[in-house]
Amino acid sequence: MTKGQRIAELRKRKNESQSELAKVVHVSASTIGMWETDQRAIKDNDLSTLADHFGVTTDYILGRKIDLGDTPVAAHLRNGLSLDDLPEDRRQAVIDYMEYQKSLYKKEQERKGKKD
């Protein structure tokens, strides 16, 4: 998944239009559209604003993998679930979602640490 596709997915999960997101980031709706189609680079400060708005890390938007150490992702599945019988694109979508959830959790923990 590209960073543009991640932004589009995150925006849709929040049920936001490109225009609504553009107001948050202080750019035009066409800029959002170009980001989502990977036709325009994202400035660092805009990337940070997007990450904060969506509650994810900038690494998640950039597609960087979250370090799970030596533990394979499949080991995190329960109830005998396996990714082996899924096609590669679906398997990657599950992994991406798991990384997204982990980034949300990490962000929550960071916020809790700042409150203490």
Side-chain angles (χ1 to χ4, degrees):
M1 187 179 295
T2 68
K3 65 184 162 208
Q5 290 169 328
R6 287 182 196 279
I7 292 167
E9 178 183 320
L10 290 165
R11 178 181 58 77
K12 290 172 186 173
R13 283 185 188 167
K14 283 190 86 140
N15 294 316
E16 287 181 326
S17 67
Q18 289 180 341
S19 296
E20 291 168 327
L21 180 57
K23 288 177 186 174
V24 170
V25 186
H26 304 290
V27 298
S28 68
S30 64
T31 296
I32 301 294
M34 286 188 270
W35 288 347
E36 290 183 358
T37 56
D38 298 300
Q39 294 177 344
R40 178 177 278 181
I42 304 170
K43 295 177 184 175
D44 291 345
N45 60 324
D46 293 334
L47 182 63
S48 294
T49 302
L50 288 168
D52 289 343
H53 177 68
F54 292 126
V56 298
T57 64
T58 55
D59 281 347
Y60 175 78
I61 294 173
L62 293 171
R64 293 184 178 148
K65 301 297 180 196
I66 295 170
D67 184 13
L68 298 176
D70 294 330
T71 306
V73 172
H76 295 279
L77 300 177
R78 295 184 180 163
N79 301 326
L81 294 173
S82 171
L83 300 179
D84 295 338
D85 49 349
L86 291 174
E88 179 59 32
D89 62 329
R90 297 287 176 94
R91 209 177 350 220
Q92 188 60 49
V94 171
I95 292 167
D96 289 346
Y97 184 73
M98 290 173 71
E99 290 172 349
Y100 167 73
Q101 288 296 321
K102 188 170 180 179
S103 71
L104 287 178
Y105 178 74
K106 182 179 177 183
K107 196 95 162 173
E108 290 169 4
Q109 295 306 306
E110 288 171 358
R111 286 185 186 132
K112 284 181 183 178
K114 289 180 183 176
K115 290 180 181 178
D116 294 338

